[in-house]
Amino acid sequence: MARAIWSGSISFGLLNVPVKLYSAVSKQTVRFRELREGDGSRVKHKRVAESDGKEVPYEKIVKGYEYAPDQYVVLGRDELSDLEPQRSRAIEIQDFVDLDDIDPIYFEQPYYLGPDKGAERAYSLLVQAMKDARKVAIARFVLRNKEHLAAIRPMGDVLTLTTMRFHDEVTSPKDLDDVFEASKPKKPDQRELQMAKQLIESLTSEFAPSSYRDEYREELLDLLERKAEGKEVVSAPTEEPKPTKAPDLMAALEESLAAVKGEEAATDGKASKPKAKAKSPSKSKSSSKSKSSSASNGRKNTSRKKTKAKA
């Protein structure tokens, strides 16, 4: 059973809806321990002072802000505690906006909001009202001694809360002007642009999250399992994709589009040849040199780019 990590209430106007906060994601990170090579002894890290190399106990550590090289403004724990935001139990809604008005770059960590005991009716009312209005609530709340900006929106019969970055935390694209100053992108050729649009359209489909897998994690776990069983591990050769040069853009677009149309025609005609699927790098690289044609390579590269872009 899911455990709540925070409890409070959604507050807007004179309405207060008691809720509980639950994590909406479960990170599947493969974690490693640091060991000494040879005997596998665990490695521990100690906090030591640079001046004499002596270990510093936790209670003797203070926070320092470096305002100039090797010059610090020191703050004690009491001073930091006084600056911490008040531990309010309210999620205060500031505005209601359209979801399309929020650039995804502002989103951070997703959570679920569930009703607390006795708040089921008010919770259901808020969910239905937001669904009908097709709006997202922008709110503020305090979690783990830090004030967060958040977006609240309904997902089915449940409210979701996603913490957001503040405006000054997002780098503006204008800060990249110096990157393009030396070689500003030229206006695309109309024929190339039309071909690129056709390729995008031919690869457009409904977003299905389950069709995208963390291939690196799967291969890493497979490698660990084989090594744990004492099996021999052979590294597959790696091959970095080369960027398409400007003179080859049209040829690459035409070849990619022809490959996609060829697969669609084979599928429509119920041909025996199965539709090409994206394979994990370690399993496909060894056979790609002998079995893949240039058209299928164009298709795989395009599919992978699409997968990464969506993920």
Side-chain angles (χ1 to χ4, degrees):
M1 185 176 179
R3 291 183 58 186
I5 59 176
W6 183 91
S7 62
S9 62
I10 298 176
S11 173
F12 69 104
L14 299 177
L15 183 64
N16 285 284
V17 183
V19 293
K20 290 186 176 182
L21 190 72
Y22 303 87
S23 179
V25 295
S26 176
K27 293 185 178 180
Q28 303 298 316
T29 305
V30 180
R31 301 187 182 278
F32 292 91
R33 298 286 190 181
E34 289 186 331
L35 309 174
R36 182 168 61 188
E37 186 178 8
D39 62 358
S41 177
R42 288 272 299 274
V43 176
K44 293 185 178 181
H45 294 267
K46 295 182 179 180
R47 298 181 178 91
V48 297
E50 286 185 352
S51 59
D52 54 17
K54 292 183 179 179
E55 186 175 356
V56 182
Y58 178 75
E59 60 273 11
K60 293 293 184 179
I61 296 177
V62 295
K63 303 289 185 179
Y65 175 78
E66 189 174 14
Y67 66 92
D70 296 325
Q71 296 187 43
Y72 302 89
V73 174
V74 178
L75 293 178
R77 287 188 176 84
D78 292 339
E79 292 174 302
L80 286 172
S81 297
D82 293 340
L83 291 175
E84 288 178 354
Q86 294 182 353
R87 295 188 179 183
S88 171
R89 287 292 177 183
I91 300 175
E92 299 178 359
I93 293 179
Q94 312 273 292
D95 301 287
F96 286 93
V97 301
D98 291 328
L99 179 59
D100 291 341
D101 290 343
I102 308 175
D103 193 296
I105 200 171
Y106 285 97
F107 293 135
E108 276 190 316
Q109 183 76 11
Y111 298 91
Y112 290 123
L113 284 172
D116 209 340
K117 290 183 179 180
E120 292 82 4
R121 183 178 177 184
Y123 179 89
S124 297
L125 174 65
L126 181 58
V127 171
Q128 190 60 50
M130 291 182 66
K131 286 170 68 174
D132 292 347
R134 302 178 67 84
K135 297 294 181 182
V136 176
I138 303 299
R140 290 175 178 266
F141 79 113
V142 177
L143 176 65
R144 300 188 181 100
N145 297 329
K146 183 180 183 302
E147 186 179 43
H148 294 271
L149 189 67
I152 302 172
R153 64 185 181 91
M155 179 185 287
D157 296 327
V158 177
L159 288 177
T160 66
L161 179 149
T162 304
T163 55
M164 300 175 64
R165 298 176 178 89
F166 286 97
H167 177 70
D168 57 359
E169 294 179 307
V170 177
T171 302
S172 171
K174 293 179 180 179
D175 294 337
L176 299 176
D177 286 348
D178 58 331
V179 177
F180 298 106
E181 189 173 355
S183 57
K184 291 185 178 180
K186 297 179 180 179
K187 189 175 181 180
D189 179 80
Q190 284 301 313
R191 191 178 171 208
E192 293 176 345
L193 181 60
Q194 188 62 32
M195 190 72 72
K197 288 180 178 179
Q198 289 181 31
L199 183 58
I200 292 172
E201 182 62 30
S202 64
L203 293 172
T204 299
S205 62
E206 292 291 331
F207 177 57
S210 60
S211 64
Y212 304 97
R213 309 187 325 274
D214 186 343
E215 295 182 354
Y216 168 76
R217 180 169 58 87
E218 291 177 358
E219 292 175 9
L220 178 58
L221 290 173
D222 180 61
L223 172 64
L224 292 171
E225 184 177 346
R226 283 183 286 144
K227 291 201 72 171
E229 294 174 352
K231 295 180 180 179
E232 184 179 358
V233 178
V234 180
S235 299
T238 58
E239 216 173 279
E240 289 293 330
K242 297 180 180 179
T244 305
K245 297 181 180 180
D248 302 326
L249 279 176
M250 197 64 193
L253 288 168
E254 289 176 342
E255 194 171 341
S256 300
L257 194 56
V260 174
K261 289 182 177 180
E263 289 178 359
E264 290 175 348
T267 303
D268 293 341
K270 296 182 179 180
S272 58
K273 186 178 180 180
K275 185 175 181 179
K277 294 182 180 179
K279 298 180 180 179
S280 59
S282 66
K283 296 179 181 179
S284 62
K285 284 173 184 172
S286 59
S287 61
S288 61
K289 293 183 180 179
S290 59
K291 296 183 178 180
S292 298
S293 65
S294 59
S296 63
N297 278 333
R299 168 60 175 165
K300 285 180 183 177
N301 291 335
T302 308
S303 300
R304 287 176 182 168
K305 290 177 181 177
K306 175 192 172 191
T307 301
K308 290 179 180 177
K310 288 189 174 183

